[in-house]
Amino acid sequence: MTETIRYERGADGVVTLVLDDPSRGANTMNDAYIAGMAAVVGRLEAERDDITGVIVTSAKKSWFAGGDLDSLRAVEPGQETLALERATAVKEQFRRLERLGRPVVAAINGAALGGGYELALACHHRIAVPRAEVGLPEVTLGLLPAGGGVTRTVRLLGLTTALTEVLLKGKRHRAAKALELGLVDELVETPEQLIAAARAWIAAHPEAAQPWDAEGYRIPGGIPYAQLPAFPATLRKQLKGAPYPAPRNILAAAVEGAQVDIDTAFTIESRYFIELVRGPIAKNMIKAFFFDLNEVNARDVGDTPPIGTVAVLGAGMMGAAIAYVCARAGLPVVLRDVTREAAERGKAYAEKLGASKDLLDLITPTGEARDLAGAGLVIEAVFEDPALKHKVFAEIEDVVSPGALLCSNTSTLPITLLAEGVRRPSDFIGLHFFSPVDRMPLVEVIRGEKTSEETLRRALAVVRALRKTPIVVGDSRGFFTSRVIGTFTNEGMAMLAEGVPPATIEQASTQAGYPAPVLALMDELTLTLPRRISRENRAAAGDAWVPHPADAVLERMIDDFGRPGRSSGAGFYEYEEGRRVRLWPGLSAFSGTAPENPSAEIPFADVQERMLFIEAIESVRCLEEGVLLSVPEANVGSILGIGYPGWTGGVLQYINQYPGGPAGFAERARELAGRYGERFTPPALLLTKAAEGALFL
């Protein structure tokens, strides 16, 4: 027995290796595991003659969570040799295990991801329970599978299938799909059946060996030499020039490794891995998508009462989608609109998404307030008008449960203002969902001045029940996400007014890693929405209002050209049968129309950084003002909610990782302010961090 792996040999000569790290809730590929596996493999080899087979199982709810991300993100340039030695040691252990000369079975009782699934790949047979999930998600953290995952999946599935179904998108597959693909070999109904099934397979296959170790073995489908030139072209098209090196390295390791023997392929895989792990992008992505995300999701909400029936007010696009995700979580929903017919149309949205009959039965459409009787949760999703929102709450406040949680899905209106329309402002809170609600993983939880701690906990429990990630923010106009994304869209329009060609603006935002080009995003949002928000902000600011060069672009697009966005078939782009086809040639009317045109020859790097910087700067202001409550919430919210490029690690991590850190970022911000406007002036908090040599943590 080692610290992390129990070694149990039965009377039948079958050794069961029980993965069970006592220091963690999940098994990971940390130093203790590596030392333990080295000892176990050595013992298996020494006792080989007395062994009939090996079963690898887990005492944890998950089978094996994967690599130790603490150690991976600690690798710095100059430490390549140490990282390479570590990767090589893991590969050698797996190689010795699969060449033991005895059948080795992975009995997978839960998630086997990353390094965990690489261990399973080194076994000769993989048995799983239906709830198990397998995959190699390293690409989503800016890495590649370094324990033989690239090499073995290519040899197991073939080059094309391995790349598309496992490696390049980091897909996680539930057991049934994994069986269909060949990622697992057998399913059993319950965890209790795993060991018996593994023993049976061992008894039936005493001479088991890996297929790729058989003489003359060919990769399924062979090497598609005619298709090889298309692989990098397809990848470039998918990445759109964004700085994500992991997919490129995975592709190179897979293609090169497929053309050599397996041990040479392992070496190729390791070298491409080291190039990634020492770089900043992997560190950024590990921080955001693992550490920051886990911190945000780990918030303790304590004991909260059952949610009960959900009353959704407004059956338009957002209300209908919110009703669907609530029903998808198993909650009964009453969907109310001004008429029963309008509410029925909202319910039909769930049908369009392919909802089952059982799910549809959970949604009750109505036009009557009395049908909301006893609801324990209210989510309002009507038009962004304070008077209208006050009206719909007044209609239902005496009907729903006396202690019902009262929520507004507003994206910009202050929660404290909206809470003036209810008699229980302490029970009122903002739940800002993002469109499309069924796919977007984030919910912005906005606490008003009178929102109680209990209400906040209940709201977080609701978000958790809907299987979404919450960020908690303070109250202000636009909150965090709408306020910050507005700076991004405004900057795109400002550059248009300065004479930057619209195609350049779109290409710059795409190559910076934004999921949608900035002008295309404006069309999706509809131009009337940001104009209305701008006018509301102007009215609220009074004499403190500072005009933005984007304002004139919005006014002319809507009033002079009649092009308010995609929903009307005309915006910054032209549309044919609802499909975006090209930038509108009439955008040339904006060339050089800003009051002060800095230059029609703005460097491409400036075009990119203006968008990245303006969002990061506004996020620092949000942190200064208490709108943002933590750095992890800023990073997670910016990526999951408003599409800030994932390679950055989020808005504040982008500042941390900028050359020179916050000091280098502040210096570049001053440069941009001198060229393009005072909005780029570094906030006081940023200057403090720069002076102290501190990071946003």
Side-chain angles (χ1 to χ4, degrees):
M1 176 176 176
T2 72
E3 182 182 346
T4 59
I5 306 171
R6 294 201 300 274
Y7 187 106
E8 302 171 352
R9 191 168 74 188
D12 57 358
V14 173
V15 173
T16 302
L17 304 179
V18 183
L19 306 171
D20 190 12
D21 187 338
S23 66
R24 300 197 177 191
N27 297 305
T28 61
M29 206 166 281
N30 54 20
D31 288 339
Y33 159 81
I34 293 173
M37 183 56 79
V40 163
V41 171
R43 182 174 175 182
L44 288 172
E45 290 172 334
E47 299 178 2
R48 177 181 175 280
D49 291 344
D50 298 322
I51 293 172
T52 56
V54 179
I55 301 171
V56 185
T57 188
S58 171
K60 308 290 188 184
K61 183 178 180 181
S62 64
W63 195 69
F64 198 113
D68 179 26
L69 295 178
D70 282 307
S71 63
L72 289 177
R73 71 170 178 164
V75 176
E76 298 291 343
Q79 297 179 326
E80 292 86 349
T81 300
L82 182 62
L84 182 59
E85 288 175 353
R86 184 186 181 92
T88 300
V90 170
K91 280 191 173 74
E92 287 179 348
Q93 291 171 5
F94 289 170
R95 193 72 176 122
R96 289 163 63 191
L97 186 65
E98 70 182 355
R99 301 188 74 180
L100 182 64
R102 295 291 184 268
V104 182
V105 179
I108 305 171
N109 61 299
L113 301 170
Y117 184 61
E118 289 179 293
L119 171 57
L121 282 170
C123 299
H124 304 119
H125 192 68
R126 289 164 290 281
I127 308 174
V129 293
R131 69 177 178 86
E133 186 180 45
V134 304
L136 298 172
E138 283 86 347
V139 68
T140 64
L141 299 176
L143 298 169
L144 63 73
V150 175
T151 301
R152 288 191 177 91
T153 54
V154 166
R155 281 160 171 75
L156 179 69
L157 306 176
L159 189 59
T160 301
T161 301
L163 288 169
T164 58
E165 295 293 339
V166 182
L167 297 169
L168 287 179
K169 294 183 179 179
K171 292 180 182 178
R172 303 176 182 209
H173 296 291
R174 296 304 292 264
K177 181 63 176 179
L179 180 67
E180 178 186 325
L181 289 171
L183 295 170
V184 299
D185 305 300
E186 182 181 349
L187 298 186
V188 294
E189 289 299 318
T190 66
E192 292 73 23
Q193 296 172 321
L194 281 169
I195 301 301
R199 276 193 152 85
W201 191 87
I202 287 170
H205 301 84
E207 304 298 326
Q210 296 288 33
W212 42 80
D213 284 327
E215 187 174 349
Y217 178 75
R218 287 175 53 81
I219 293 173
I223 300 174
Y225 289 104
Q227 299 175 27
L228 291 185
F231 286 169
T234 301
L235 186 59
R236 281 195 299 271
K237 183 178 179 181
Q238 292 172 347
L239 296 178
K240 300 176 182 177
Y244 291 99
R248 178 203 65 204
N249 283 27
I250 287 172
L251 176 61
V255 172
E256 293 175 26
Q259 301 178 74
V260 296
D261 65 89
I262 190 168
D263 292 305
T264 303
F266 286 146
T267 301
I268 292 170
E269 179 185 281
S270 292
R271 288 174 177 168
Y272 279 114
F273 167 75
I274 295 303
E275 182 181 305
L276 295 172
V277 78
R278 69 180 180 183
I281 290 177
K283 292 176 174 57
N284 293 342
M285 295 179 72
I286 289 170
K287 183 179 188 303
F289 293 108
F290 186 80
F291 290 100
D292 286 351
L293 187 60
N294 283 350
E295 183 171 334
V296 169
N297 281 324
R299 186 183 285 106
D300 183 15
V301 300
D303 293 327
T304 56
I307 295 169
T309 298
V310 182
V312 177
L313 309 180
M317 180 183 70
M318 289 300 292
I322 291 169
Y324 168 76
V325 299
C326 289
R328 186 175 64 183
L331 300 173
V333 180
V334 180
L335 177 60
R336 188 199 176 202
D337 211 300
V338 291
T339 66
R340 170 67 181 264
E341 291 72 24
E344 289 279 8
R345 289 194 293 272
K347 179 176 179 177
Y349 177 81
E351 292 186 74
K352 292 179 182 177
L353 293 177
S356 66
K357 183 182 182 304
D358 288 344
L359 190 153
L360 291 172
D361 287 345
L362 288 171
I363 303 175
T364 302
T366 185
E368 302 295 333
R370 64 174 178 267
D371 291 333
L372 308 181
L377 167 64
V378 179
I379 304 177
E380 166 271 310
V382 301
F383 185 71
E384 292 284 85
D385 175 16
L388 177 60
K389 291 178 184 290
H390 287 166
K391 177 177 180 291
V392 298
F393 274 110
E395 291 173 347
I396 59 89
E397 195 170 3
D398 289 331
V399 178
V400 299
S401 172
L405 185 63
L406 306 175
C407 309
S408 175
N409 178 53
T410 180
S411 59
T412 59
L413 297 173
I415 292 302
T416 302
L417 169 66
L418 298 183
E420 293 174 359
V422 300
R423 293 192 302 276
R424 295 184 286 117
S426 63
D427 293 338
F428 196 92
I429 197 166
L431 286 187
H432 177 205
F433 292 82
F434 296 81
S435 184
V437 180
D438 59 294
R439 295 201 302 272
M440 292 293 281
L442 192 79
V443 176
E444 190 174 28
V445 181
I446 308 102
R447 186 173 185 175
E449 289 180 7
K450 296 184 178 180
T451 302
S452 70
E453 285 289 340
E454 174 65 15
T455 295
L456 176 60
R457 287 195 296 271
R458 290 176 64 190
L460 291 171
V462 168
V463 176
R464 181 173 295 176
L466 300 182
R467 296 188 288 276
K468 292 187 180 292
T469 293
I471 59 168
V472 179
V473 302
D475 196 17
S476 82
R477 191 169 291 274
F479 321 126
F480 164 54
T481 55
S482 296
R483 176 173 161 180
V484 170
I485 199 173
T487 65
F488 168 63
T489 53
N490 277 346
E491 204 58 35
M493 290 185 288
M495 289 188 284
L496 183 66
E498 292 167 13
V500 180
T504 299
I505 297 170
E506 298 295 78
Q507 190 65 23
S509 52
T510 298
Q511 290 189 20
Y514 286 98
V518 61
L519 299 180
L521 177 63
M522 281 296 300
D523 273 5
E524 297 294 331
L525 296 173
T526 71
L527 280 61
T528 53
L529 175 62
R531 180 169 76 166
R532 178 177 56 76
I533 293 171
S534 176
R535 290 178 174 179
E536 290 172 354
N537 290 343
R538 183 184 308 177
D543 294 339
W545 173 253
V546 178
H548 194 285
D551 298 339
V553 175
L554 279 174
E555 299 292 341
R556 291 193 69 192
M557 284 293 291
I558 297 169
D559 296 335
D560 296 354
F561 304 132
R563 302 185 67 86
R566 181 171 188 165
S567 61
S568 64
F572 291 107
Y573 281 79
E574 293 183 326
Y575 298 87
E576 294 177 1
E577 298 180 350
R579 185 173 58 89
R580 188 171 66 233
V581 291
R582 67 185 68 85
L583 281 158
W584 179 48
L587 294 179
S588 59
F590 292 108
S591 179
T593 58
E596 296 181 9
N597 179 20
S599 171
E601 298 297 329
I602 295 175
F604 189 76
D606 284 16
V607 177
Q608 285 186 306
E609 288 200 338
R610 283 175 65 174
M611 292 179 279
L612 293 165
F613 265 64
I614 200 65
E615 290 197 276
I617 288 168
E618 192 65 20
S619 297
V620 174
R621 294 193 181 107
C622 288
L623 197 62
E624 275 184 330
E625 297 168 17
V627 175
L628 276 171
L629 305 181
S630 75
V631 171
E633 286 173 310
N635 290 331
V636 169
S638 66
I639 295 173
L640 298 187
I642 58 176
Y644 201 71
W647 65 266
T648 66
V651 277
L652 298 182
Q653 180 61 17
Y654 178 67
I655 297 174
N656 290 342
Q657 60 84 54
Y658 197 80
F665 183 94
E667 182 180 353
R668 175 63 168 150
R670 290 192 192 94
E671 183 181 330
L672 294 174
R675 292 182 185 177
Y676 307 113
E678 290 300 310
R679 59 189 178 275
F680 289 99
T681 300
L685 179 58
L686 174 59
L687 294 177
T688 298
K689 294 286 187 184
E692 295 174 349
L695 301 176
F696 288 95
L697 300 173

